[in-house]
Amino acid sequence: MGESFYSATCEENFVASKPGSEESFDVCIVGGGIVALSCAQALNNSGIKVAVIEKERIFSGASGVNGGFVAPGYALGMEDLEKKVGSEHARKLFEISLGGVDKVKSNILFYGIKSASVAHGKIDLLRYNPSRKEIEYPERMSRLYGYDIKPMEKKDLEGMLNTESYCYGFYHSRAFHIHPLNYGLGVARSIQAEGVAIYENREVESIRKASGGYDLVCVGGIISCKEVVVCTGGTPGKDPEIIKKSILPISTYVVTSEKNDEIPEKYIKTECALGDNRRASDYYRVVDGDRVLWGGRITAFPTSRKKGIEDQIRQDIRNVFPGLSGLKFSYSWKGVMGYATHKMPCIGRLDSGVWYCTAFGGRGLGSGTACGEVLAKALLGDEESLGLFQEFGLKNTYGFLGRIAVEATYKKYIIKDRLDEKNKS
Ligand SMILES: Cc1cc2nc3c(=O)[nH]c(=O)nc-3n(C[C@H](O)[C@H](O)[C@H](O)COP(=O)(O)OP(=O)(O)OC[C@H]3O[C@@H](n4cnc5c(N)ncnc54)[C@H](O)[C@@H]3O)c2cc1C
């Protein structure tokens, strides 16, 4: 599909490091997304000589094309996480992800990345009347996680969204949204100035064991290091086989509309990021003052049929804001996220000694930042936080069959969402 709104409006100018004549590092990180940069920043702050090696441009993967919502939590919802690991363990994992949210904000302030265009708040929207359990959700999040969520009644929502679609909402005051590409390039520029080598257009074709560490066979020559970290997200094509087999690449789509004064003045009168709580959800926000950026739809078998996807998203917008049915799109694009079958990140070390930190699904800005730091700590000898992720190991996704299962589950989700809305409204 086409160019993203973010690359068309990018204000950062990052220049990659020049390959040296002899290239040797303490740690090399494969991939140049949010996880890699976070890990590199933490290692560099501890005096480790580190290189980030990206096959295309920094933040050209999911990290630079996403919705821009920065919020705590993981692709696996907190309730499912609690069921899996118990409430105390879940609380520690939530706290880690919240640390990632705060880290993104502190990086923006510390490095002065104004072009990240921070806007505050996120509202989760319900398309049906809330159940008792949903009404109690903010109190529960406050008691168990110390996290503040404010309920929003239909009348509160009506003041800011010109639609009949929503009955209730949850306002997250600590969440925010950003221009992710400007953020990433701003961080890259800043940590490069602090000493991190950041290479672009250097695909790592293989990782070989060598005396004292590893040789990375890359475009442009071999790079040697004592430790390697693989952070390749949804594009693990050249990774060790066991990582490749554990990642389901899932495509998802975003559009950004033409400029239209009516969007902020009449339809979306809030700077908050918005998303419904469907299993197969829609999310959107106003960008550039008077455009709507709208994301949704997933598939395990990516399509390049730009028009087909645009038509589906236009229908999604029309369902919520019938008055915007004629809206034209200036940009539409696709991104690929990496999922594990358990929907939690995979962080750890292979028998070969290679480290990995991947599979953040659709929730990588906060949790990916946090887990990059978790991995850096482990490399420095403190594996306490890493231990919290151990039970979500690398699990086979069964390739083509796994993708078919994703498609079937997604279709099932759409039906379940509609039934829930019909029954509860
Ligand atoms: C459309 C879309 C919307 C999303 N919306 C949100 C959102 O609003 N909020 C949120 O928190 N998350 C969102 N996500 C998810 C989030 O973007 C990801 O979870 C996160 O960016 C993953 O970061 P990463 O560093 O693991 O992977 P990536 O950003 O994909 O980085 C991996 C990098 O590795 C490189 N690479 C791969 N193989 C090699 C190799 N052999 N050699 C060198 N480099 C290699 C790739 O080129 C890529 O740049 C969204 C994702 C998409 C696609």
Side-chain angles (χ1 to χ4, degrees), residues 31 33-35 53-55 62-63 66-69 204 232 235 283 335 361-365:
I34 197 153
V35 182
I53 309 166
E54 163 58 46
K55 72 172 175 177
S63 299
N66 54 61
F69 291 28
V204 176
T232 48
T235 50
Y283 59 90
R363 293 297 284 269
L365 293 184

mmCIF file with all atom_site columns, all heavy atoms in Angstrom, residues 31 33-35 53-55 62-63 66-69 204 232 235 283 335 361-365, ligand 1:
data_model
loop_
_atom_site.group_PDB
_atom_site.id
_atom_site.type_symbol
_atom_site.label_atom_id
_atom_site.label_alt_id
_atom_site.label_comp_id
_atom_site.label_asym_id
_atom_site.label_entity_id
_atom_site.label_seq_id
_atom_site.pdbx_PDB_ins_code
_atom_site.Cartn_x
_atom_site.Cartn_y
_atom_site.Cartn_z
_atom_site.occupancy
_atom_site.B_iso_or_equiv
_atom_site.pdbx_formal_charge
_atom_site.auth_seq_id
_atom_site.auth_comp_id
_atom_site.auth_asym_id
_atom_site.auth_atom_id
_atom_site.pdbx_PDB_model_num
ATOM   1   N N   . GLY A 1 31  ? 17.799 -5.228  14.203 1.00 0.00 ? 31  GLY A N   1
ATOM   2   C CA  . GLY A 1 31  ? 16.491 -4.570  14.104 1.00 0.00 ? 31  GLY A CA  1
ATOM   3   C C   . GLY A 1 31  ? 16.620 -3.141  14.600 1.00 0.00 ? 31  GLY A C   1
ATOM   4   O O   . GLY A 1 31  ? 17.434 -2.858  15.483 1.00 0.00 ? 31  GLY A O   1
ATOM   5   N N   . GLY A 1 33  ? 13.772 -0.982  15.551 1.00 0.00 ? 33  GLY A N   1
ATOM   6   C CA  . GLY A 1 33  ? 12.479 -0.482  16.004 1.00 0.00 ? 33  GLY A CA  1
ATOM   7   C C   . GLY A 1 33  ? 12.575 0.005   17.441 1.00 0.00 ? 33  GLY A C   1
ATOM   8   O O   . GLY A 1 33  ? 13.664 0.186   17.996 1.00 0.00 ? 33  GLY A O   1
ATOM   9   N N   . ILE A 1 34  ? 11.408 0.178   18.066 1.00 0.00 ? 34  ILE A N   1
ATOM   10  C CA  . ILE A 1 34  ? 11.363 0.781   19.403 1.00 0.00 ? 34  ILE A CA  1
ATOM   11  C C   . ILE A 1 34  ? 12.033 -0.100  20.450 1.00 0.00 ? 34  ILE A C   1
ATOM   12  O O   . ILE A 1 34  ? 12.667 0.403   21.386 1.00 0.00 ? 34  ILE A O   1
ATOM   13  C CB  . ILE A 1 34  ? 9.904  1.121   19.785 1.00 0.00 ? 34  ILE A CB  1
ATOM   14  C CG1 . ILE A 1 34  ? 9.884  2.102   20.954 1.00 0.00 ? 34  ILE A CG1 1
ATOM   15  C CG2 . ILE A 1 34  ? 9.074  -0.120  20.103 1.00 0.00 ? 34  ILE A CG2 1
ATOM   16  C CD1 . ILE A 1 34  ? 8.676  2.980   21.011 1.00 0.00 ? 34  ILE A CD1 1
ATOM   17  N N   . VAL A 1 35  ? 11.934 -1.418  20.274 1.00 0.00 ? 35  VAL A N   1
ATOM   18  C CA  . VAL A 1 35  ? 12.527 -2.337  21.253 1.00 0.00 ? 35  VAL A CA  1
ATOM   19  C C   . VAL A 1 35  ? 14.049 -2.242  21.182 1.00 0.00 ? 35  VAL A C   1
ATOM   20  O O   . VAL A 1 35  ? 14.741 -2.125  22.205 1.00 0.00 ? 35  VAL A O   1
ATOM   21  C CB  . VAL A 1 35  ? 12.042 -3.785  20.980 1.00 0.00 ? 35  VAL A CB  1
ATOM   22  C CG1 . VAL A 1 35  ? 12.604 -4.723  22.023 1.00 0.00 ? 35  VAL A CG1 1
ATOM   23  C CG2 . VAL A 1 35  ? 10.525 -3.853  20.958 1.00 0.00 ? 35  VAL A CG2 1
ATOM   24  N N   . ILE A 1 53  ? 21.601 -2.576  14.279 1.00 0.00 ? 53  ILE A N   1
ATOM   25  C CA  . ILE A 1 53  ? 21.782 -2.870  12.846 1.00 0.00 ? 53  ILE A CA  1
ATOM   26  C C   . ILE A 1 53  ? 20.412 -3.090  12.211 1.00 0.00 ? 53  ILE A C   1
ATOM   27  O O   . ILE A 1 53  ? 19.725 -4.082  12.515 1.00 0.00 ? 53  ILE A O   1
ATOM   28  C CB  . ILE A 1 53  ? 22.665 -4.123  12.662 1.00 0.00 ? 53  ILE A CB  1
ATOM   29  C CG1 . ILE A 1 53  ? 23.949 -3.971  13.491 1.00 0.00 ? 53  ILE A CG1 1
ATOM   30  C CG2 . ILE A 1 53  ? 23.012 -4.313  11.191 1.00 0.00 ? 53  ILE A CG2 1
ATOM   31  C CD1 . ILE A 1 53  ? 24.716 -5.244  13.646 1.00 0.00 ? 53  ILE A CD1 1
ATOM   32  N N   . GLU A 1 54  ? 20.002 -2.194  11.347 1.00 0.00 ? 54  GLU A N   1
ATOM   33  C CA  . GLU A 1 54  ? 18.658 -2.212  10.753 1.00 0.00 ? 54  GLU A CA  1
ATOM   34  C C   . GLU A 1 54  ? 18.779 -2.485  9.248  1.00 0.00 ? 54  GLU A C   1
ATOM   35  O O   . GLU A 1 54  ? 19.621 -1.906  8.579  1.00 0.00 ? 54  GLU A O   1
ATOM   36  C CB  . GLU A 1 54  ? 17.966 -0.860  11.028 1.00 0.00 ? 54  GLU A CB  1
ATOM   37  C CG  . GLU A 1 54  ? 16.759 -0.543  10.183 1.00 0.00 ? 54  GLU A CG  1
ATOM   38  C CD  . GLU A 1 54  ? 15.626 -1.571  10.259 1.00 0.00 ? 54  GLU A CD  1
ATOM   39  O OE1 . GLU A 1 54  ? 15.275 -1.998  11.360 1.00 0.00 ? 54  GLU A OE1 1
ATOM   40  O OE2 . GLU A 1 54  ? 15.106 -1.942  9.175  1.00 0.00 ? 54  GLU A OE2 1
ATOM   41  N N   . LYS A 1 55  ? 17.889 -3.351  8.760  1.00 0.00 ? 55  LYS A N   1
ATOM   42  C CA  . LYS A 1 55  ? 18.003 -3.726  7.333  1.00 0.00 ? 55  LYS A CA  1
ATOM   43  C C   . LYS A 1 55  ? 17.466 -2.645  6.391  1.00 0.00 ? 55  LYS A C   1
ATOM   44  O O   . LYS A 1 55  ? 17.832 -2.591  5.233  1.00 0.00 ? 55  LYS A O   1
ATOM   45  C CB  . LYS A 1 55  ? 17.315 -5.054  7.068  1.00 0.00 ? 55  LYS A CB  1
ATOM   46  C CG  . LYS A 1 55  ? 15.815 -5.039  7.094  1.00 0.00 ? 55  LYS A CG  1
ATOM   47  C CD  . LYS A 1 55  ? 15.272 -6.383  6.626  1.00 0.00 ? 55  LYS A CD  1
ATOM   48  C CE  . LYS A 1 55  ? 13.766 -6.389  6.777  1.00 0.00 ? 55  LYS A CE  1
ATOM   49  N NZ  . LYS A 1 55  ? 13.095 -7.547  6.317  1.00 0.00 ? 55  LYS A NZ  1
ATOM   50  N N   . ALA A 1 62  ? 7.078  -1.753  12.152 1.00 0.00 ? 62  ALA A N   1
ATOM   51  C CA  . ALA A 1 62  ? 5.836  -1.390  12.857 1.00 0.00 ? 62  ALA A CA  1
ATOM   52  C C   . ALA A 1 62  ? 6.007  -0.135  13.702 1.00 0.00 ? 62  ALA A C   1
ATOM   53  O O   . ALA A 1 62  ? 5.083  0.680   13.822 1.00 0.00 ? 62  ALA A O   1
ATOM   54  C CB  . ALA A 1 62  ? 5.395  -2.551  13.745 1.00 0.00 ? 62  ALA A CB  1
ATOM   55  N N   . SER A 1 63  ? 7.205  0.038   14.270 1.00 0.00 ? 63  SER A N   1
ATOM   56  C CA  . SER A 1 63  ? 7.410  1.159   15.207 1.00 0.00 ? 63  SER A CA  1
ATOM   57  C C   . SER A 1 63  ? 7.154  2.531   14.591 1.00 0.00 ? 63  SER A C   1
ATOM   58  O O   . SER A 1 63  ? 6.808  3.467   15.300 1.00 0.00 ? 63  SER A O   1
ATOM   59  C CB  . SER A 1 63  ? 8.831  1.109   15.772 1.00 0.00 ? 63  SER A CB  1
ATOM   60  O OG  . SER A 1 63  ? 9.018  -0.093  16.465 1.00 0.00 ? 63  SER A OG  1
ATOM   61  N N   . ASN A 1 66  ? 2.639  2.936   13.233 1.00 0.00 ? 66  ASN A N   1
ATOM   62  C CA  . ASN A 1 66  ? 1.506  2.464   14.054 1.00 0.00 ? 66  ASN A CA  1
ATOM   63  C C   . ASN A 1 66  ? 0.509  3.588   14.392 1.00 0.00 ? 66  ASN A C   1
ATOM   64  O O   . ASN A 1 66  ? 0.661  4.722   13.951 1.00 0.00 ? 66  ASN A O   1
ATOM   65  C CB  . ASN A 1 66  ? 2.046  1.811   15.326 1.00 0.00 ? 66  ASN A CB  1
ATOM   66  C CG  . ASN A 1 66  ? 2.976  2.744   16.053 1.00 0.00 ? 66  ASN A CG  1
ATOM   67  O OD1 . ASN A 1 66  ? 2.565  3.810   16.468 1.00 0.00 ? 66  ASN A OD1 1
ATOM   68  N ND2 . ASN A 1 66  ? 4.236  2.360   16.186 1.00 0.00 ? 66  ASN A ND2 1
ATOM   69  N N   . GLY A 1 67  ? -0.455 3.234   15.262 1.00 0.00 ? 67  GLY A N   1
ATOM   70  C CA  . GLY A 1 67  ? -1.481 4.209   15.633 1.00 0.00 ? 67  GLY A CA  1
ATOM   71  C C   . GLY A 1 67  ? -0.960 5.341   16.493 1.00 0.00 ? 67  GLY A C   1
ATOM   72  O O   . GLY A 1 67  ? -1.598 6.392   16.602 1.00 0.00 ? 67  GLY A O   1
ATOM   73  N N   . GLY A 1 68  ? 0.173  5.120   17.147 1.00 0.00 ? 68  GLY A N   1
ATOM   74  C CA  . GLY A 1 68  ? 0.769  6.169   17.980 1.00 0.00 ? 68  GLY A CA  1
ATOM   75  C C   . GLY A 1 68  ? 0.224  6.216   19.404 1.00 0.00 ? 68  GLY A C   1
ATOM   76  O O   . GLY A 1 68  ? 0.573  7.103   20.167 1.00 0.00 ? 68  GLY A O   1
ATOM   77  N N   . PHE A 1 69  ? -0.615 5.234   19.806 1.00 0.00 ? 69  PHE A N   1
ATOM   78  C CA  . PHE A 1 69  ? -1.174 5.216   21.172 1.00 0.00 ? 69  PHE A CA  1
ATOM   79  C C   . PHE A 1 69  ? -0.107 4.670   22.116 1.00 0.00 ? 69  PHE A C   1
ATOM   80  O O   . PHE A 1 69  ? 0.403  3.570   21.908 1.00 0.00 ? 69  PHE A O   1
ATOM   81  C CB  . PHE A 1 69  ? -2.377 4.270   21.274 1.00 0.00 ? 69  PHE A CB  1
ATOM   82  C CG  . PHE A 1 69  ? -3.621 4.715   20.542 1.00 0.00 ? 69  PHE A CG  1
ATOM   83  C CD1 . PHE A 1 69  ? -3.565 5.521   19.427 1.00 0.00 ? 69  PHE A CD1 1
ATOM   84  C CD2 . PHE A 1 69  ? -4.870 4.290   20.977 1.00 0.00 ? 69  PHE A CD2 1
ATOM   85  C CE1 . PHE A 1 69  ? -4.725 5.906   18.757 1.00 0.00 ? 69  PHE A CE1 1
ATOM   86  C CE2 . PHE A 1 69  ? -6.030 4.664   20.326 1.00 0.00 ? 69  PHE A CE2 1
ATOM   87  C CZ  . PHE A 1 69  ? -5.955 5.474   19.212 1.00 0.00 ? 69  PHE A CZ  1
ATOM   88  N N   . VAL A 1 204 ? 21.051 -8.138  8.514  1.00 0.00 ? 204 VAL A N   1
ATOM   89  C CA  . VAL A 1 204 ? 21.842 -9.215  9.114  1.00 0.00 ? 204 VAL A CA  1
ATOM   90  C C   . VAL A 1 204 ? 21.372 -10.515 8.468  1.00 0.00 ? 204 VAL A C   1
ATOM   91  O O   . VAL A 1 204 ? 20.228 -10.933 8.654  1.00 0.00 ? 204 VAL A O   1
ATOM   92  C CB  . VAL A 1 204 ? 21.656 -9.260  10.643 1.00 0.00 ? 204 VAL A CB  1
ATOM   93  C CG1 . VAL A 1 204 ? 22.393 -10.449 11.246 1.00 0.00 ? 204 VAL A CG1 1
ATOM   94  C CG2 . VAL A 1 204 ? 22.134 -7.950  11.267 1.00 0.00 ? 204 VAL A CG2 1
ATOM   95  N N   . THR A 1 232 ? 13.488 -8.217  15.949 1.00 0.00 ? 232 THR A N   1
ATOM   96  C CA  . THR A 1 232 ? 13.046 -8.028  14.559 1.00 0.00 ? 232 THR A CA  1
ATOM   97  C C   . THR A 1 232 ? 11.525 -7.996  14.406 1.00 0.00 ? 232 THR A C   1
ATOM   98  O O   . THR A 1 232 ? 11.023 -8.010  13.277 1.00 0.00 ? 232 THR A O   1
ATOM   99  C CB  . THR A 1 232 ? 13.640 -9.150  13.684 1.00 0.00 ? 232 THR A CB  1
ATOM   100 O OG1 . THR A 1 232 ? 13.406 -10.387 14.353 1.00 0.00 ? 232 THR A OG1 1
ATOM   101 C CG2 . THR A 1 232 ? 15.129 -8.965  13.487 1.00 0.00 ? 232 THR A CG2 1
ATOM   102 N N   . THR A 1 235 ? 8.973  -9.193  11.389 1.00 0.00 ? 235 THR A N   1
ATOM   103 C CA  . THR A 1 235 ? 9.711  -9.567  10.162 1.00 0.00 ? 235 THR A CA  1
ATOM   104 C C   . THR A 1 235 ? 10.957 -10.388 10.518 1.00 0.00 ? 235 THR A C   1
ATOM   105 O O   . THR A 1 235 ? 12.086 -9.947  10.329 1.00 0.00 ? 235 THR A O   1
ATOM   106 C CB  . THR A 1 235 ? 10.118 -8.310  9.361  1.00 0.00 ? 235 THR A CB  1
ATOM   107 O OG1 . THR A 1 235 ? 10.765 -7.386  10.261 1.00 0.00 ? 235 THR A OG1 1
ATOM   108 C CG2 . THR A 1 235 ? 8.936  -7.638  8.722  1.00 0.00 ? 235 THR A CG2 1
ATOM   109 N N   . TYR A 1 283 ? -9.680 2.062   16.002 1.00 0.00 ? 283 TYR A N   1
ATOM   110 C CA  . TYR A 1 283 ? -9.075 3.115   16.827 1.00 0.00 ? 283 TYR A CA  1
ATOM   111 C C   . TYR A 1 283 ? -8.815 4.335   15.945 1.00 0.00 ? 283 TYR A C   1
ATOM   112 O O   . TYR A 1 283 ? -8.621 4.204   14.731 1.00 0.00 ? 283 TYR A O   1
ATOM   113 C CB  . TYR A 1 283 ? -7.786 2.618   17.511 1.00 0.00 ? 283 TYR A CB  1
ATOM   114 C CG  . TYR A 1 283 ? -6.716 2.154   16.557 1.00 0.00 ? 283 TYR A CG  1
ATOM   115 C CD1 . TYR A 1 283 ? -5.757 3.023   16.053 1.00 0.00 ? 283 TYR A CD1 1
ATOM   116 C CD2 . TYR A 1 283 ? -6.667 0.829   16.135 1.00 0.00 ? 283 TYR A CD2 1
ATOM   117 C CE1 . TYR A 1 283 ? -4.789 2.591   15.178 1.00 0.00 ? 283 TYR A CE1 1
ATOM   118 C CE2 . TYR A 1 283 ? -5.705 0.392   15.258 1.00 0.00 ? 283 TYR A CE2 1
ATOM   119 C CZ  . TYR A 1 283 ? -4.755 1.275   14.780 1.00 0.00 ? 283 TYR A CZ  1
ATOM   120 O OH  . TYR A 1 283 ? -3.807 0.841   13.892 1.00 0.00 ? 283 TYR A OH  1
ATOM   121 N N   . GLY A 1 335 ? 0.942  -2.110  8.102  1.00 0.00 ? 335 GLY A N   1
ATOM   122 C CA  . GLY A 1 335 ? 2.085  -2.405  8.969  1.00 0.00 ? 335 GLY A CA  1
ATOM   123 C C   . GLY A 1 335 ? 2.014  -3.858  9.397  1.00 0.00 ? 335 GLY A C   1
ATOM   124 O O   . GLY A 1 335 ? 0.946  -4.474  9.343  1.00 0.00 ? 335 GLY A O   1
ATOM   125 N N   . GLY A 1 361 ? 2.980  -7.581  19.417 1.00 0.00 ? 361 GLY A N   1
ATOM   126 C CA  . GLY A 1 361 ? 1.640  -7.447  18.861 1.00 0.00 ? 361 GLY A CA  1
ATOM   127 C C   . GLY A 1 361 ? 1.265  -5.990  18.663 1.00 0.00 ? 361 GLY A C   1
ATOM   128 O O   . GLY A 1 361 ? 2.101  -5.172  18.274 1.00 0.00 ? 361 GLY A O   1
ATOM   129 N N   . GLY A 1 362 ? 0.015  -5.659  18.974 1.00 0.00 ? 362 GLY A N   1
ATOM   130 C CA  . GLY A 1 362 ? -0.474 -4.295  18.744 1.00 0.00 ? 362 GLY A CA  1
ATOM   131 C C   . GLY A 1 362 ? -0.249 -3.367  19.923 1.00 0.00 ? 362 GLY A C   1
ATOM   132 O O   . GLY A 1 362 ? -0.865 -2.306  19.988 1.00 0.00 ? 362 GLY A O   1
ATOM   133 N N   . ARG A 1 363 ? 0.612  -3.738  20.888 1.00 0.00 ? 363 ARG A N   1
ATOM   134 C CA  . ARG A 1 363 ? 0.801  -2.912  22.086 1.00 0.00 ? 363 ARG A CA  1
ATOM   135 C C   . ARG A 1 363 ? 2.286  -2.699  22.372 1.00 0.00 ? 363 ARG A C   1
ATOM   136 O O   . ARG A 1 363 ? 2.740  -2.880  23.497 1.00 0.00 ? 363 ARG A O   1
ATOM   137 C CB  . ARG A 1 363 ? 0.142  -3.590  23.293 1.00 0.00 ? 363 ARG A CB  1
ATOM   138 C CG  . ARG A 1 363 ? -1.357 -3.663  23.218 1.00 0.00 ? 363 ARG A CG  1
ATOM   139 C CD  . ARG A 1 363 ? -2.014 -2.292  23.208 1.00 0.00 ? 363 ARG A CD  1
ATOM   140 N NE  . ARG A 1 363 ? -2.010 -1.687  24.523 1.00 0.00 ? 363 ARG A NE  1
ATOM   141 C CZ  . ARG A 1 363 ? -2.979 -1.828  25.408 1.00 0.00 ? 363 ARG A CZ  1
ATOM   142 N NH1 . ARG A 1 363 ? -4.038 -2.542  25.104 1.00 0.00 ? 363 ARG A NH1 1
ATOM   143 N NH2 . ARG A 1 363 ? -2.916 -1.256  26.589 1.00 0.00 ? 363 ARG A NH2 1
ATOM   144 N N   . GLY A 1 364 ? 3.061  -2.304  21.359 1.00 0.00 ? 364 GLY A N   1
ATOM   145 C CA  . GLY A 1 364 ? 4.515  -2.304  21.552 1.00 0.00 ? 364 GLY A CA  1
ATOM   146 C C   . GLY A 1 364 ? 5.145  -0.995  22.001 1.00 0.00 ? 364 GLY A C   1
ATOM   147 O O   . GLY A 1 364 ? 6.296  -0.992  22.426 1.00 0.00 ? 364 GLY A O   1
ATOM   148 N N   . LEU A 1 365 ? 4.419  0.129   21.901 1.00 0.00 ? 365 LEU A N   1
ATOM   149 C CA  . LEU A 1 365 ? 5.119  1.396   22.185 1.00 0.00 ? 365 LEU A CA  1
ATOM   150 C C   . LEU A 1 365 ? 5.511  1.492   23.657 1.00 0.00 ? 365 LEU A C   1
ATOM   151 O O   . LEU A 1 365 ? 6.650  1.808   23.987 1.00 0.00 ? 365 LEU A O   1
ATOM   152 C CB  . LEU A 1 365 ? 4.273  2.593   21.749 1.00 0.00 ? 365 LEU A CB  1
ATOM   153 C CG  . LEU A 1 365 ? 4.064  2.710   20.234 1.00 0.00 ? 365 LEU A CG  1
ATOM   154 C CD1 . LEU A 1 365 ? 3.290  3.977   19.879 1.00 0.00 ? 365 LEU A CD1 1
ATOM   155 C CD2 . LEU A 1 365 ? 5.386  2.698   19.486 1.00 0.00 ? 365 LEU A CD2 1
HETATM 156 C C1  . LIG B 2 .   ? -0.566 -0.425  11.873 1.00 0.00 ? 1   LIG B C1  1
HETATM 157 C C2  . LIG B 2 .   ? -0.107 -0.680  13.285 1.00 0.00 ? 1   LIG B C2  1
HETATM 158 C C3  . LIG B 2 .   ? -0.706 0.009   14.324 1.00 0.00 ? 1   LIG B C3  1
HETATM 159 C C4  . LIG B 2 .   ? -0.244 -0.169  15.639 1.00 0.00 ? 1   LIG B C4  1
HETATM 160 N N1  . LIG B 2 .   ? -0.706 0.651   16.622 1.00 0.00 ? 1   LIG B N1  1
HETATM 161 C C5  . LIG B 2 .   ? -0.106 0.639   17.843 1.00 0.00 ? 1   LIG B C5  1
HETATM 162 C C6  . LIG B 2 .   ? -0.425 1.611   18.816 1.00 0.00 ? 1   LIG B C6  1
HETATM 163 O O1  . LIG B 2 .   ? -1.216 2.529   18.586 1.00 0.00 ? 1   LIG B O1  1
HETATM 164 N N2  . LIG B 2 .   ? 0.175  1.524   20.035 1.00 0.00 ? 1   LIG B N2  1
HETATM 165 C C7  . LIG B 2 .   ? 1.087  0.535   20.330 1.00 0.00 ? 1   LIG B C7  1
HETATM 166 O O2  . LIG B 2 .   ? 1.597  0.487   21.453 1.00 0.00 ? 1   LIG B O2  1
HETATM 167 N N3  . LIG B 2 .   ? 1.452  -0.383  19.392 1.00 0.00 ? 1   LIG B N3  1
HETATM 168 C C8  . LIG B 2 .   ? 0.891  -0.340  18.164 1.00 0.00 ? 1   LIG B C8  1
HETATM 169 N N4  . LIG B 2 .   ? 1.274  -1.233  17.209 1.00 0.00 ? 1   LIG B N4  1
HETATM 170 C C9  . LIG B 2 .   ? 2.284  -2.238  17.548 1.00 0.00 ? 1   LIG B C9  1
HETATM 171 C C10 . LIG B 2 .   ? 3.695  -1.652  17.630 1.00 0.00 ? 1   LIG B C10 1
HETATM 172 O O3  . LIG B 2 .   ? 3.924  -0.794  16.532 1.00 0.00 ? 1   LIG B O3  1
HETATM 173 C C11 . LIG B 2 .   ? 4.704  -2.801  17.655 1.00 0.00 ? 1   LIG B C11 1
HETATM 174 O O4  . LIG B 2 .   ? 4.363  -3.688  18.697 1.00 0.00 ? 1   LIG B O4  1
HETATM 175 C C12 . LIG B 2 .   ? 6.117  -2.315  17.913 1.00 0.00 ? 1   LIG B C12 1
HETATM 176 O O5  . LIG B 2 .   ? 6.439  -1.243  17.071 1.00 0.00 ? 1   LIG B O5  1
HETATM 177 C C13 . LIG B 2 .   ? 7.097  -3.460  17.696 1.00 0.00 ? 1   LIG B C13 1
HETATM 178 O O6  . LIG B 2 .   ? 8.405  -2.940  17.770 1.00 0.00 ? 1   LIG B O6  1
HETATM 179 P P1  . LIG B 2 .   ? 9.639  -3.838  17.369 1.00 0.00 ? 1   LIG B P1  1
HETATM 180 O O7  . LIG B 2 .   ? 10.847 -3.029  17.634 1.00 0.00 ? 1   LIG B O7  1
HETATM 181 O O8  . LIG B 2 .   ? 9.497  -5.174  18.037 1.00 0.00 ? 1   LIG B O8  1
HETATM 182 O O9  . LIG B 2 .   ? 9.445  -4.168  15.822 1.00 0.00 ? 1   LIG B O9  1
HETATM 183 P P2  . LIG B 2 .   ? 9.604  -3.257  14.518 1.00 0.00 ? 1   LIG B P2  1
HETATM 184 O O10 . LIG B 2 .   ? 9.288  -1.851  14.754 1.00 0.00 ? 1   LIG B O10 1
HETATM 185 O O11 . LIG B 2 .   ? 8.861  -3.963  13.430 1.00 0.00 ? 1   LIG B O11 1
HETATM 186 O O12 . LIG B 2 .   ? 11.167 -3.324  14.243 1.00 0.00 ? 1   LIG B O12 1
HETATM 187 C C14 . LIG B 2 .   ? 11.802 -4.493  13.768 1.00 0.00 ? 1   LIG B C14 1
HETATM 188 C C15 . LIG B 2 .   ? 12.860 -4.044  12.776 1.00 0.00 ? 1   LIG B C15 1
HETATM 189 O O13 . LIG B 2 .   ? 13.730 -5.141  12.484 1.00 0.00 ? 1   LIG B O13 1
HETATM 190 C C16 . LIG B 2 .   ? 14.195 -4.965  11.166 1.00 0.00 ? 1   LIG B C16 1
HETATM 191 N N5  . LIG B 2 .   ? 14.758 -6.250  10.727 1.00 0.00 ? 1   LIG B N5  1
HETATM 192 C C17 . LIG B 2 .   ? 14.101 -7.413  10.515 1.00 0.00 ? 1   LIG B C17 1
HETATM 193 N N6  . LIG B 2 .   ? 14.977 -8.380  10.125 1.00 0.00 ? 1   LIG B N6  1
HETATM 194 C C18 . LIG B 2 .   ? 16.208 -7.808  10.107 1.00 0.00 ? 1   LIG B C18 1
HETATM 195 C C19 . LIG B 2 .   ? 17.514 -8.285  9.781  1.00 0.00 ? 1   LIG B C19 1
HETATM 196 N N7  . LIG B 2 .   ? 17.714 -9.553  9.425  1.00 0.00 ? 1   LIG B N7  1
HETATM 197 N N8  . LIG B 2 .   ? 18.556 -7.435  9.847  1.00 0.00 ? 1   LIG B N8  1
HETATM 198 C C20 . LIG B 2 .   ? 18.368 -6.139  10.251 1.00 0.00 ? 1   LIG B C20 1
HETATM 199 N N9  . LIG B 2 .   ? 17.142 -5.628  10.553 1.00 0.00 ? 1   LIG B N9  1
HETATM 200 C C21 . LIG B 2 .   ? 16.084 -6.459  10.485 1.00 0.00 ? 1   LIG B C21 1
HETATM 201 C C22 . LIG B 2 .   ? 12.948 -4.504  10.420 1.00 0.00 ? 1   LIG B C22 1
HETATM 202 O O14 . LIG B 2 .   ? 13.287 -3.850  9.210  1.00 0.00 ? 1   LIG B O14 1
HETATM 203 C C23 . LIG B 2 .   ? 12.284 -3.584  11.444 1.00 0.00 ? 1   LIG B C23 1
HETATM 204 O O15 . LIG B 2 .   ? 12.627 -2.223  11.244 1.00 0.00 ? 1   LIG B O15 1
HETATM 205 C C24 . LIG B 2 .   ? 0.801  -1.117  15.903 1.00 0.00 ? 1   LIG B C24 1
HETATM 206 C C25 . LIG B 2 .   ? 1.365  -1.842  14.851 1.00 0.00 ? 1   LIG B C25 1
HETATM 207 C C26 . LIG B 2 .   ? 0.932  -1.620  13.558 1.00 0.00 ? 1   LIG B C26 1
HETATM 208 C C27 . LIG B 2 .   ? 1.587  -2.372  12.438 1.00 0.00 ? 1   LIG B C27 1
#
